[in-house]
């Protein structure tokens, strides 16, 4: 598979026989050379490339009441013989957080080697569905609407909010599982004020995470937790974000949700009923090849 960009660029360099590549932060580990991009840049090759493996994670979404969906995650291998040239690497930004009466911001797409992963779907305002995206956003408190849809092969749907008796928001979807519904995320508990946990990301790429010192304990692309509703004086637990950088939802009355972790694609945590949601985490691109 070949690509036709021919643009000059600068960066760190690595060699592989007659092949040379520049761009990103370069490390060698476990028989592979890794190029890690945490901001937009270029990947520049000279000579016939070996097989290139890539991991592309888009920006996570911001939250309103519902948790923000994680950025889409894509990974595959491009056959040896990629044409030399310069390939633009785009790192998607995380979406902004918003009040529980508004939607958070959508995550932005990440792209590399002519492949694009989709930004996470925003956590919703009260009374609205979560937005679709790489992974879907959760719906808000006092809301019987549904979570947003994820994109097949990139991420999962967000969880639904709960309308009665107090209201609790749904968690954002992750790259590895759906976001949990409000009031139903702890088996045997089901407190109606508990926001749903965010869906976990994936740790299939834990070797990549270890080699490059990225990710969240080996995970990427976790959804944000949905916000609680404790305004009625009831006690709720912290709605955890999904493994992979998802921000926790707010627990306390009027509290702000936590933001997703940078360069994981994690979604932002939802705000408590009168609070604000957290922002999504930016994405990441990693390219590796055997040495």
């Amino acid at each position: 598979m070949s690509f036709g960009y021919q643009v000059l660029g600068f960066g760190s360099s690595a060699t592989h026989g007659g092949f040379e590549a520049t761009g990103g932060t370069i490390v060698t580990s476990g028989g592979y050379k890794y190029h890690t991009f945490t901001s937009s840049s270029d990947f520049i090759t000279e000579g016939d490339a070996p097989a290139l493996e890539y991991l592309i994670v888009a920006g996570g979404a911001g939250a309103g009441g519902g948790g923000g969906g994680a950025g889409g995650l894509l990974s595959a291998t491009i056959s040896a013989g990629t044409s030399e040239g310069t390939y633009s690497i785009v790192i998607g930004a995380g979406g902004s957080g918003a009040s529980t009466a508004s939607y958070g911001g959508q995550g932005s797409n990440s792209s590399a080697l002519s492949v694009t992963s989709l930004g996470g779907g925003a956590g919703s305002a009260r009374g609205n569905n979560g937005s679709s995206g790489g992974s879907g956003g959760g719906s808000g408190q006092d809301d019987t609407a549904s979570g947003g849809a994820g994109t097949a092969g990139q991420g999962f749907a967000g969880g639904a909010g709960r309308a009665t008796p107090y209201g609790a928001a749904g968690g954002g979807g992750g790259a590895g599982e759906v976001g949990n519904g409000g009031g139903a995320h702890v088996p045997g508990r089901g407190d109606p004020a508990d926001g749903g946990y965010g869906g976990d990301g994936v740790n299939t790429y834990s070797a990549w995470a270890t080699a490059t010192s990225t990710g969240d304990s080996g995970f990427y692309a976790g959804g944000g937790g949905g916000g609680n509703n404790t305004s009625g004086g009831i006690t709720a637990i912290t709605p955890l974000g999904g493994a992979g950088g998802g921000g926790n939802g707010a627990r306390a009355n009027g509290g702000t949700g936590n933001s997703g972790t940078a360069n994981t694609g994690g979604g932002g945590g939802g705000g408590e009923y009168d609070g604000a949601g957290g922002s999504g985490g930016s994405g990441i691109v990693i390219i590796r090849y055997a040495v």
Side-chain angles (χ1 to χ4, degrees), residues 61-69 98-100 102-104 121-126 128 130 137-141 143 159 161 168-172 196 224-227 268-271 277-278:
S99 75
T100 55
S102 303
Y103 276 88
S124 82
R126 299 190 294 270
N128 292 276
S139 62
Q141 299 100 329
D143 182 4

Side-chain angles (χ1 to χ4, degrees), residues 34-168:
Y34 292 84
H35 294 249
T36 302
F37 298 85
T38 56
S39 60
S40 298
S41 185
D42 292 322
F43 179 63
I44 307 165
T45 67
E46 295 182 10
D48 289 334
L52 301 177
E53 299 177 67
Y54 61 78
L55 173 64
I56 305 173
V57 182
L73 184 152
L74 288 172
S75 183
T77 300
I78 298 174
S79 299
T82 300
S83 297
E84 64 181 11
T86 297
Y87 308 104
S88 177
I89 308 295
V90 176
I91 304 301
S96 58
S99 75
T100 55
S102 303
Y103 276 88
Q106 292 280 116
S108 296
N109 299 346
S110 290
S111 61
L113 304 171
S114 295
V115 178
T116 299
S117 61
L118 302 179
S124 82
R126 299 190 294 270
N128 292 276
N129 294 333
S131 295
S132 61
S135 298
S139 62
Q141 299 100 329
D142 289 334
D143 182 4
T144 55
S146 62
T151 299
Q154 298 194 27
F156 288 82
R162 179 170 180 155
T164 57
Y166 300 106

Side-chain angles (χ1 to χ4, degrees), residues 166 229-234 253 272-274:
Y166 300 106
N229 179 11
T230 58
S231 58
I234 57 178
N253 187 22
E272 200 274 341
Y273 191 79
D274 293 316

